[in-house]
Amino acid sequence: MRYIPHTAEDVRQMLETVGVTSVDDLFAEIPSSLRLRRSLALGEPLAESELLKKIRRLAAQNATADTHASFLGGGAYNHFIPAVIDQLISRSEFYTAYTPYQPEISQGTLQAIYEYQTLICQLTGMDAANASMYDGASGCAEAVLMAVRATGRRRILLSSALHPEYLATVRTYCRYLDLDLIEVPCDAGGGTDGAALLRLLDDRTAALVSGYPNFFGVIEDLSAQAAAVHAVGGRLVTVVQEPIALGLLKSPGELGADIVVGEGQSFGIPLSYGGPYLGFFAVRQGDIRSMPGRLVGQTCDREGRRGFVLTLATREQHIRREKATSNICSNQGLCALMATIYLALLGKAGIREVAGHNLAKAEYAKGKIAALPGFSLPLSGTTFNEFVVEADEGAAVVLERLEKEGILGGIPLQRYFAGMDKRFLVCVTEQNSREEIDALVSALAGGKQ
Amino acid sequence: MRYIPHTAEDVRQMLETVGVTSVDDLFAEIPSSLRLRRSLALGEPLAESELLKKIRRLAAQNATADTHASFLGGGAYNHFIPAVIDQLISRSEFYTAYTPYQPEISQGTLQAIYEYQTLICQLTGMDAANASMYDGASGCAEAVLMAVRATGRRRILLSSALHPEYLATVRTYCRYLDLDLIEVPCDAGGGTDGAALLRLLDDRTAALVSGYPNFFGVIEDLSAQAAAVHAVGGRLVTVVQEPIALGLLKSPGELGADIVVGEGQSFGIPLSYGGPYLGFFAVRQGDIRSMPGRLVGQTCDREGRRGFVLTLATREQHIRREKATSNICSNQGLCALMATIYLALLGKAGIREVAGHNLAKAEYAKGKIAALPGFSLPLSGTTFNEFVVEADEGAAVVLERLEKEGILGGIPLQRYFAGMDKRFLVCVTEQNSREEIDALVSALAGGKQ
Amino acid sequence: LNEKLLFEHSDAGRKGYSLPRLDVPPARLPAALVREEVSGFPELSEVDVVRHFTRLSTWNYGVDSGFYPLGSCTMKYNPKVNEVAARTPGMAAAHPSTPDHLSQGALALMHDLQEALAEISGFPAVTLQPAAGAHGELAGMLMIRAWHEAQGNSRKKVLIPDTAHGTNPATAALCGYEVVPIASDGVLSAAAVAAAMGGEVAALMITNPNTLGLFEAQIREICQIIHDGGGLVYCDGANLNALMGIARPGDMGIDVMHFNLHKTFSTPHGGGGPGSGPVGVTAVLAPFLPVPVVVEEQGTYRLEVDRPLSIGRMKAFGGHFGIMVRAWAYIRSMGGEGLKRASEMAVLNANYIRARLEGTYHLPYTARSLHEVVFSDRDLGGNCHTLDLAKRLIDYGYHPPTIYFPLVVKGAIMIEPTETESKEVIDEFCDAMLSIAAEAGENPDLLHQAPKKTRVGRMDETGAARKPRLKWEK
Amino acid sequence: LNEKLLFEHSDAGRKGYSLPRLDVPPARLPAALVREEVSGFPELSEVDVVRHFTRLSTWNYGVDSGFYPLGSCTMKYNPKVNEVAARTPGMAAAHPSTPDHLSQGALALMHDLQEALAEISGFPAVTLQPAAGAHGELAGMLMIRAWHEAQGNSRKKVLIPDTAHGTNPATAALCGYEVVPIASDGVLSAAAVAAAMGGEVAALMITNPNTLGLFEAQIREICQIIHDGGGLVYCDGANLNALMGIARPGDMGIDVMHFNLHKTFSTPHGGGGPGSGPVGVTAVLAPFLPVPVVVEEQGTYRLEVDRPLSIGRMKAFGGHFGIMVRAWAYIRSMGGEGLKRASEMAVLNANYIRARLEGTYHLPYTARSLHEVVFSDRDLGGNCHTLDLAKRLIDYGYHPPTIYFPLVVKGAIMIEPTETESKEVIDEFCDAMLSIAAEAGENPDLLHQAPKKTRVGRMDETGAARKPRLKWEK
């Protein structure tokens, strides 16, 4: 057994020292009626070569950007991942370590998280960031809970242009917390409707939660939303599902956001069929102690050498138990490390350049698609790297046609919104070549161009 | 430029310190007539994503055991490579280090080589092994040179059942050294002809060089050869091109070999279209100082702690210059590390088990093929995991037919031996499933079974 | 070697990244939307970045560095082939919104994992969505509450023994429950549960084996009491590594349990995450599982989202798929007998440590241990405490055990060896523990000053919390 | 942490490997052929093996650990994407005996690399077969001799300057040549060559830039003299990193040169290998190239073996293909301008180090340096020598430069920074060098006792050689 080192002789000696005669005796405290009297029906162990064959056979049944031209986005993005990241996170000192409870032998993890926290603050324009949450959706739910704690209010306005799975997650988290969750409709541009927002805001409102860019790819007017929600004493929670956009866009902090959460998958983390990803979470100075999740802080040792530790743990569940800011008791350590390495490689110029490529490719695609008969761009708002397309013949038919030409053309909005059967969400990143975009356009047109 | 860190400001400051006004001035000693006055025609630099796309496109044009059922052997073998090996050799402390000239910061490399040397000695039954040579073929050539040095004789008998590319390499190395290279023919079993050997041996003979198993997969009678060559005062050089066989076979040392060389690719090293591989080289105690290549020895530091160093360097070119035992000035460090990890994982039981699977699969295939009309096994000698097949319709025709069914059926011997147009060499390893072997047999039969 | 922060290495104009030439016309956003630059972002070449993180890594200690007996964390060896499996391009590059019929490999693997976890635990239905143990707890407790609500029953209390993980009360609170602690005497007695049970009690949250490493021998009776009172039983599955192939929580009367794939099923801890926290439930609770659920029909798999009683989504997409691949690879590599052997050897290792240290270290609870053993610092000499012992172990080359938990043991030292450690490793560790106990009496300063062999010594944690510095600034 | 030898960890019955169940009948060899067991072989589980080598690795220093200014070794950064490229399954799993028409990707890459090396060096024909620099030297000198022999000319002498690498004379000897050393004064003079040239001389072996980091400015004249005398010129290409895009050896009159892919073209040194040593030659020598040669015809590639004048094979198969993939990836990532920039910055770095250290360390040769600079220990105080300086640099966190080479400089300190080091790194290194020079005067014991921060101190090398212990025994 390649993962278990015990030889028969080891077992014999150890049992003798323990003072029992068989391995079975070790389980004597388990009532006999509870013992499993058969083998687990999990089959024979696979040799390593068989296992790899099997996983490759399964993997071959999945369509990816390697097998298809892919225009899938909607909260998970196909960006290039430099080889350096995998090389570094594969160092076992990083990936086989646990939570850095012992700072003297965890400075690698701790310093990297401190750098991660700094990068997130720089990108979002906020004062403090935690060591990460499970993903953008759960981070969004935690932001709602935090706004409730911070304001003592129980009414939450949720933009209906948020990612539908984020909305669903917020609803799950809040299910038994006696909160009012109210959706704010969209305007014709695809952003949160400003007039409706003003109508719905009141002095019971803890927060407005909106996307930047939102689920439809549209860049919301955060300044106006911040002004409106601040006017009633509420918080603006900004949700960034595609943070590459922040390479170009004004930071939410600059525009007045109070809590910024988002999905960090774009930063060098594999798509991996939906996870593990990276929820980032950033707040203003005054809210640090009500923020959920782990935090790393700088300090020094007895000899004055700089070092880093987990800090402000008094907010957390292992100390505060039922009074904790959250029940979360891990962070996405390795994913945060990937993002840190990714952002370090890109740097100031790179993040802007990548964002620029995404924008340019998406704009190119938009222009071509808008010009096709039978297709339109129903939303007028400014977008970054994804946008909604409407097809007269219906989204399902179109997407099926694309599939036959080896193209994953986008996400049918019918999946989330009843009645949107003609619309689908198209995402174009720096990974899509002009050739691929042209092929998409040509296939949309029915291959008749 | 992602691999060059110099900013414009760095360059300015550095030039100022150097005391020149431009980078071009640094090259002032190069006569102007020798300066290249144009750009190198190597095209635009590729971004990392483009490079990977390009290499994947090229890779897709190669047939491998992933795309075909492969029965190719002949000096390079398709064995399973445990994932642990790549994980460990990818630690940059190993793969980005140089030759361990500074033992204080190279104990990792040094101890691993010491372990490698030990494993090779255990496997071959010899007293000392060097830190490795380029490959089996060049190691074989170095063994010939060493036999000449050790005996002061200039006549070398080479079994004609050695790998033809090894023979060719020996001829190249000896081209201008005024030696007599004489081939010993094969017998009907496919081994070195014992009678011919006795005729050719004389007291001018420095060595007999033969394979174990030999190129045709046949297990030679080393004891008899050792007795014969020792009787005239020569050395027996044993060449092991498939060392997995040593998991089952008596060690060459036990049978009387004086120098054992071979190819270590089978020990966890990727096929990689021919290299880099691993030449191993082992000798008897008395010959240590005339052995070529690096050696690692155990010693201790000033405080008596055990440690390892490069040793007996006085044999080598950087000290002995034209009197060196060889001009080799590197070893296959990382490949030796792969082999060390591989053998450590297999261990005493594993090496035997893998060898047993190879034998069993090859015997199964032999039995099935021998039973096919139109096919025969022309050599009667005992084999390990490869064997020669003769096809009435001709090897080329048969192999082409197999190719069409997705099978790389073997190596046509016509490639090396004029007149052997009906024969091909078939290799079966633990990687070939019974299903694959049955498919081979069925395809050989013309798919009519 | 010291290593500066990324930002301190930075030099204007460096980049460690390359893009292809832009093959479409450049585009611009309206100027009002555009920021100047990402102020403060580092500028580094590839080699700068590689050296930086390579050096940082050397200040860490992982399972591959040595023995890591962190109690309750199951720091077993993380097989390397599982890393390869998770990186298989068709798995790692699969987009979560790919149509089901083009994701059959991923879905088949998830379904197979669901089934395997069901078999191991004895629960008929499993969700893979939760991201970590605590997330699974939340999902589990939400299902319990949803079940009660579906019965028109709005009980508000949850019983939690004093040995519980801190996440248990935190989770109960997130579900709108009030926590009622129950005292145990190492092992929870049915009588104590009976005394606490009442019509207001929605559930009991229990850990089995508990955080003292002891089997809750009265579990069947306890479940019966809760069920009879109209409640449900939640089990924290953190300690499942003691039970695989030995006994199944689903057979004990438990209604819901989460799994920690990063503990029991060997996926790496990643320096704090990502984990994965699937949840198994009884048939009664199956309709309440979060969506999506992977469903098989005639060899075809699909993500089912239309489940009217579901508690909804716990997060976006289907869960930590990359972690599932690793856990699946582990289960398939071990097979049923292998998993049983793992639990057996884990328990043997813990008992062997107990036997070797028991005379020297104080053992507050003496019932037979399963996969972990909890000592206290009571008998340590020289005014040395658990923290000093832990730091001294670092100098001996070990990661310390979990300390000061569970709270019911003063100065707790909670040791979980796991099955991947050999007798040789365990013996050397026990020797070190015994040697430190001797040092505490003879030369306590060795403990108080420890660690000495690390890059930094004991940190000023109070200062860190009093005036938090949470990011770098120029 | 100490770490025992593999064999000392071993315990009977452990295994870190698994095989599928045998799906054919077992077979047996005749008993007389079969050994008992591989006596002494270790028995370990997977975790044992992983920890063992992980720990060993931490005692090493690589380019990713820090600055590695080993002169003449060109320890530049090894790009990570190249490692991925070499591991692409279609490349890493390709068998060398696959028919050419099923190996077009591999052959196309090799052909492209041949062409790129030809363009960089100015030689029209290139072989990729040699396994390392010294192996390339051997191939090159064999071709020179074969050419002479083909002319019916059996000259027996080879001229080698005193600054040459030790491999040069060793190689000449392997080709049956007698070595005639020529004295240089840092740079070789045409006059000295003219004086040594004669009808017995087959070739000159030269390194350019030479091992002092100086350009052989009279190279054109020197080649002319050799050619006029009926000889050929071999160039050791170890120092090509100074010249890419600046000047081409093939344009200087040189006839044969080897490349070190593991130096100039960024492939990792692997702790001593594998390298790769292609050879470029003039059109006249092309027929003598070793076989196989990759040939292109109308977009199809094949391995050509039938070349009657060829010197034959240097080894089995086509060479270190895995290394070629990395070098190809590097060249394609850099492009023509990038390679030139690499040479420029490599030379700038060396000159900057020279400028910063020149007042403090003795510089025996003062001609303008190219990619490396050679100091001596003449001016070091406190009876400190080059070895002491080197060991003290280790305590500062650096790999030492090459020491005591070239032989023409007493106590040589040969520093080659390469282009991948930033000004920041170089400045810190120079600060360390200056600080050590000061220490030598003030506190020489710091140097004599160094290194102090490593796992082991200076080793007893004499003892090791006197009584060699080359393998572990029980």
Side-chain angles (χ1 to χ4, degrees), chain D residues 5-22:
Chain D
L5 290 165
L6 274 178
F7 314 94
E8 295 163 344
H9 277 299
S10 174
D11 196 359
R14 285 195 201 135
K15 200 166 60 169
Y17 184 85
S18 56
L19 274 169
R21 202 173 283 275
L22 186 61

Side-chain angles (χ1 to χ4, degrees), chain B residues 364-446:
Chain B
Y364 176 78
K366 277 173 82 172
K368 293 269 179 177
I369 294 170
L372 288 177
F375 291 89
S376 61
L377 307 180
L379 306 179
S380 60
T382 304
T383 60
F384 173 60
N385 69 356
E386 53 191 332
F387 53 89
V388 174
V389 173
E390 185 159 307
D392 291 352
E393 47 181 332
V397 175
V398 167
L399 292 175
E400 202 178 318
R401 195 173 68 226
L402 296 181
E403 213 176 285
K404 289 202 182 101
E405 307 203 21
I407 298 171
L408 297 170
I411 300 174
L413 291 182
Q414 180 76 9
R415 181 182 294 176
Y416 297 116
F417 305 96
M420 282 209 194
D421 58 317
K422 291 188 173 172
R423 294 187 179 183
F424 56 103
L425 185 64
V426 175
C427 173
V428 193
T429 74
E430 83 281 5
Q431 292 276 77
N432 297 109
S433 65
R434 177 181 195 142
E435 201 183 343
E436 277 184 354
I437 300 170
D438 289 344
L440 167 72
V441 172
S442 153
L444 283 173

Side-chain angles (χ1 to χ4, degrees), chain D residues 109-119 126-128 293-294:
Chain D
L109 185 145
M110 290 172 76
H111 191 263
D112 199 35
L113 178 60
Q114 282 180 193
E115 302 271 290
L117 294 177
E119 167 67 4
V126 172
T127 173
L128 301 175
V293 173
V294 184

Side-chain angles (χ1 to χ4, degrees), chain C residues 120-124 220 247-255 257 282:
Chain C
I120 292 165
S121 63
F123 293 104
R220 242 208 170 307
R248 309 197 307 170
D251 297 342
M252 299 174 191
I254 288 160
D255 301 285
M257 184 189 80
T282 57

